[in-house]
Amino acid sequence: MRTRSVLKAVLGVVAAAALVAGSAPLAAADAPVATTPTATAPGAAASAADPGPDLLLLTVAATAPNTAAAARTVTLDCGGAAPTGDHPDAAAACAELLGAQGDFSALVPSHTFCPELYLPVTATAAGLWGAQPIAYQQTFTNECALWRATGRVFAF
């Protein structure tokens, strides 16, 4: 529960910073299926002595015309000695994000075959990675394509 209250505070700070900067923290994709994330923050900007928190709120939601699945949201805290949150595989998700230095566009895609079904889903991440605000949103053609591109991070 502490992680959830910290994330709420973090999201409030991220939203306030976005308003001050004059942009929304999570912009919607113009096309039904986006091929690039709307925003990412580099994870290497914080100092090595005090990298700051690595707290994220991750959401996967079905996008029209896919109305079969309900939106799912989990928390992920990679900042402590052991990964925490209600993500079902927090250790693997944190390992992949640490390898990409918190940059979702740098996640290593897997070479998995995915069926060509159009059941779009949108993956969203908001929070802090090493004191840098994270605002990521990308729409994928289906959940398999999401998992292929992001590994265990959005596998919940």
Side-chain angles (χ1 to χ4, degrees):
M1 292 314 274
R2 181 185 177 318
T3 301
R4 206 171 282 273
S5 63
V6 169
L7 275 173
K8 285 181 183 178
V10 167
L11 291 177
V13 170
V14 169
L19 288 174
V20 169
S23 65
L26 298 174
D30 292 333
V33 178
T35 57
T36 58
T38 58
T40 58
S47 70
D50 183 18
D54 297 332
L55 302 168
L56 296 171
L57 185 65
L58 306 171
T59 303
V60 174
T63 307
N66 181 12
T67 58
R72 303 177 309 275
T73 302
V74 298
T75 57
L76 183 62
D77 183 355
C78 301
T84 60
D86 51 4
H87 191 291
D89 196 356
C94 286
E96 291 181 13
L97 280 169
L98 288 169
Q101 297 180 337
D103 184 355
F104 286 81
S105 65
L107 289 170
V108 178
S110 67
H111 299 287
T112 305
F113 171 78
C114 290
E116 293 186 24
L117 297 174
Y118 186 68
L119 296 170
V121 294
T122 299
T124 306
L128 290 177
W129 189 269
Q132 295 295 317
I134 295 285
Y136 169 86
Q137 182 175 20
Q138 185 170 353
T139 300
F140 298 87
T141 54
N142 56 46
E143 285 197 68
C144 181
L146 165 66
W147 299 332
R148 179 176 56 200
T150 62
R152 300 294 304 157
V153 176
F154 288 100
F156 52 85

